[in-house]
Amino acid sequence: MNVLERYEPLIDDFEAFRAACERPLPSAVRVNTIKTTVERARRAMETADMAVEAVDWHPGVFRLPDDQPGTNWPYVHGWLHGQEEVSALPAVVLDPQSGERVWDACAAPGSKTSQLAALMDDSGLVVATDNNLGRLSALRSNAERLGVTNLAVTVEDARHHSLKPFGDPYDRVLVDVPCSCEGTVRKNPDALDNWTLDHVQGISGVQKGILGRAIEVTREGGTVVYSTCTFAPEENEAVLQHALESSPCRLVEFDCPLECTSGVTEWEEERFDDSMRRAKRIYPHHNDTGGFFCAKLEVTGG
Amino acid sequence: MNDTTNVGTRFDRLPATADDRCVEGRATRREVLRWWDERFGVDPEVFEAYSFWERGAGKVWAFHGDLDSPVDVEGLGITFLRTRQEHWKPTLSAVQRFGTYARKNCIELTETEARRFFTGEDQELDWDGDWGYLVVTHELAGEQEPLGVGLYVHGELRSMVPKGRQRDLRE
């Protein structure tokens, strides 16, 4: 837990934060509305004797206090997808519409990809990119089970994503980058075992590159959502600061349906733009979820 | 490699009709629509917004929308139909996604039969209709839901659920 102590200056109730990080995380499922309705899925789960608790901020997300998703009828029909509760947030913030063109820049294993497709009623285009073939195969099999048909999958480094097969720039892009995953410590207690500041700083460079490319391939007036499951400002506000300074974009306000705090405007020796307060930090003790960071950007004229 | 050979690693849109076909043996859009209509009574209008693509020999994918063909991607929509064989075979993904539109050659299983079927078991069942591939359904949340593909021959329903999708739901 030593790593997390570096965030004590940022967190109002650090003891509650630390206690939450030590509690295991309940499993959760999201209803796949491409194949069914929330009501029928709930009925199927009840028939299968699964204990479910609806979450109050998202009508299709249920906590499973006793069960793991997996061997039951609604799952094999692709009505359910096991997905950590807080990770259902960025697709909601991106708010893609039917018929739009959307890029999921770091897509595997496809939880958020399939959620984007469902929000779009499985119409328009979702391009899902990842650089890891093994993880892409998990994405492909999830997309098959969930019946996602508006999806094109590419294997490439998102920093060099080619628009060529798809034509025009995107309306919206989800940039849910690889990160140090500090916020997943409740799910993976060893998530912090190999933590180093070098790794955080190294991955921050990759994150800047991916966000930069995302802004480049989004039309003027389009939306980019940047998210991580880490607390490190080096991977959050510092990446956004770099984008504000080097790409045509601005941070925009959004309503976060989960309890959260604002992005920070200073960290150690660094100062960030005041608009960083529009980003949201979600700590595990806020909503009894994993930790998360989410920001919404508008792409402006060059 | 020329334009008349199937390239297994990229996606090529199916030609609209036999007159448009350049690649030998490739199914056409018209044939695919007719097959779903004749075999399962699925109205071709269901697929109006879909384009069909071949990647891998005979493997046809259904994509909601369209792109310039050929396209070099890892996946495009869902796997849909196995062609280039005497009896075309729908995929489990296609049947779960589009099976609700089927009007014939659908077999309803009881709870126990459905559990056996999804475990990969073959079972002796009565069926008055055609032999061949069937849409297998069972009741879920108050309605019949398409679960997968069965092959009915010689008084037996053979489970076509791929190994990777099978689950043991027996009690």
Side-chain angles (χ1 to χ4, degrees):
Chain A
M1 283 295 165
N2 286 338
V3 173
L4 298 178
E5 274 163 21
R6 72 196 291 261
Y7 305 121
E8 190 163 359
L10 304 181
I11 298 171
D12 52 1
D13 189 348
F14 191 70
E15 279 315 306
F17 167 81
R18 188 150 52 183
C21 287
E22 286 170 4
R23 284 198 299 274
L25 192 66
S27 300
V29 289
R30 179 177 52 78
V31 173
N32 174 31
T33 51
I34 292 173
K35 281 185 146 179
T36 192
T37 61
V38 172
E39 213 27 66
R40 290 192 71 205
R42 178 200 276 267
R43 206 172 142 191
M45 287 191 283
E46 283 165 1
T47 307
D49 288 332
M50 296 163 68
V52 296
E53 290 168 7
V55 305
D56 57 6
W57 67 277
H58 190 303
V61 173
F62 294 86
R63 289 183 179 182
L64 310 180
D66 310 325
D67 280 288
Q68 294 290 324
T71 307
N72 54 65
W73 283 132
Y75 178 84
V76 302
H77 275 276
W79 287 13
L80 302 178
H81 184 67
Q83 179 171 357
E84 194 184 328
E85 179 181 338
V86 73
S87 85
L89 177 67
V92 171
V93 174
L94 189 66
D95 193 24
Q97 305 294 309
S98 292
E100 285 187 332
R101 304 161 52 76
V102 174
W103 182 37
D104 188 353
C106 311
S111 300
K112 299 174 191 84
T113 312
S114 53
Q115 188 185 2
L116 294 170
L119 288 167
M120 297 160 71
D121 298 322
D122 200 23
S123 71
L125 173 68
V126 176
V127 176
T129 293
D130 208 278
N131 63 355
N132 181 316
L133 260 181
R135 281 166 55 85
L136 269 183
S137 127
L139 178 146
R140 280 276 317 122
S141 91
N142 282 323
E144 287 278 327
R145 187 176 54 82
L146 299 169
V148 180
T149 64
N150 69 343
L151 177 67
V153 179
T154 71
V155 55
E156 59 191 334
D157 183 328
R159 291 172 288 185
H160 310 295
H161 174 58
S162 168
L163 255 184
K164 200 172 154 218
F166 312 111
D168 297 333
Y170 298 105
D171 299 298
R172 299 177 202 252
V173 177
L174 178 59
V175 185
D176 181 62
V177 284
C179 70
S180 58
C181 297
E182 295 162 358
T184 68
V185 67
R186 298 183 63 187
K187 193 171 61 179
N188 311 308
D190 54 0
L192 304 175
D193 288 359
N194 298 316
W195 190 99
T196 65
L197 190 56
D198 273 356
H199 176 250
V200 166
Q201 284 161 344
I203 205 162
S204 162
V206 176
Q207 292 158 345
K208 287 170 185 165
I210 297 173
L211 180 56
R213 183 61 184 151
I215 294 164
E216 273 173 4
V217 296
T218 302
R219 68 169 170 81
E220 190 179 333
T223 301
V224 174
V225 164
Y226 179 80
S227 62
T228 73
C229 53
T230 201
F231 309 116
E234 292 89 343
E235 301 179 64
N236 293 324
E237 288 87 350
V239 173
L240 293 169
Q241 182 70 26
H242 180 267
L244 293 178
E245 287 167 5
S246 56
S247 302
C249 67
R250 65 182 193 99
L251 277 155
V252 294
E253 293 280 4
F254 65 98
D255 289 326
C256 182
L258 287 159
E259 190 187 332
C260 60
T261 63
S262 303
V264 298
T265 53
E266 54 186 271
W267 171 248
E268 296 179 340
E269 303 307 307
E270 281 193 85
R271 298 285 174 277
F272 305 122
D273 192 271
D274 281 346
S275 67
M276 217 55 79
R277 293 200 178 91
R278 295 173 180 166
K280 315 288 184 194
R281 296 184 146 258
I282 296 169
Y283 295 118
H285 61 294
H286 282 150
N287 312 276
D288 198 19
T289 62
F292 216 71
F293 179 89
C294 190
K296 189 172 191 175
L297 297 149
E298 180 190 330
V299 175
T300 55
Chain B
M1 204 83 72
N2 58 45
D3 285 349
T4 61
T5 318
N6 181 48
V7 182
T9 56
R10 70 175 194 209
F11 286 83
D12 288 63
R13 193 191 307 106
L14 298 192
T17 66
D19 291 343
D20 307 307
R21 175 161 42 208
C22 307
V23 175
E24 200 185 327
R26 178 166 289 162
T28 68
R29 177 181 179 83
R30 180 181 287 175
E31 288 164 352
V32 166
L33 295 178
R34 187 183 298 147
W35 185 87
W36 280 88
D37 192 6
E38 286 179 357
R39 181 72 205 162
F40 297 119
V42 177
D43 187 333
E45 276 187 18
V46 167
F47 301 116
E48 205 174 296
Y50 287 82
S51 53
F52 300 116
W53 302 74
E54 184 176 21
R55 189 214 200 196
K59 210 170 164 184
V60 171
W61 302 55
F63 171 58
H64 194 156
D66 207 353
L67 291 171
D68 287 339
S69 176
V71 57
D72 185 13
V73 290
E74 286 303 307
L76 199 57
I78 57 171
T79 58
F80 185 64
L81 184 64
R82 175 69 74 164
T83 62
R84 295 186 191 264
Q85 55 193 27
E86 189 185 349
H87 297 289
W88 287 6
K89 179 183 172 189
T91 65
L92 181 145
S93 304
V95 160
Q96 282 198 352
R97 185 73 170 78
F98 300 108
T100 46
Y101 300 102
R103 297 287 167 264
K104 61 180 179 183
N105 288 322
C106 303
I107 185 168
E108 295 182 7
L109 300 189
T110 65
E111 179 69 15
T112 307
E113 291 163 350
R115 286 172 191 258
R116 280 196 202 131
F117 169 79
F118 215 77
T119 310
E121 267 183 47
D122 304 336
Q123 42 196 328
E124 286 183 11
L125 290 172
D126 289 332
W127 167 250
D128 292 335
D130 289 352
W131 285 17
Y133 293 117
L134 305 181
V135 170
V136 173
T137 71
H138 73 135
E139 191 189 312
L140 184 62
E143 288 173 39
Q144 286 294 319
E145 278 294 318
L147 179 59
V149 180
L151 175 62
Y152 194 86
V153 283
H154 303 293
E156 183 180 65
L157 182 71
R158 297 186 182 161
S159 172
M160 296 288 115
V161 179
K163 281 226 159 45
R165 295 287 288 271
Q166 292 172 5
R167 291 286 183 280
D168 190 351
L169 291 125
R170 292 169 306 176
E171 279 156 348

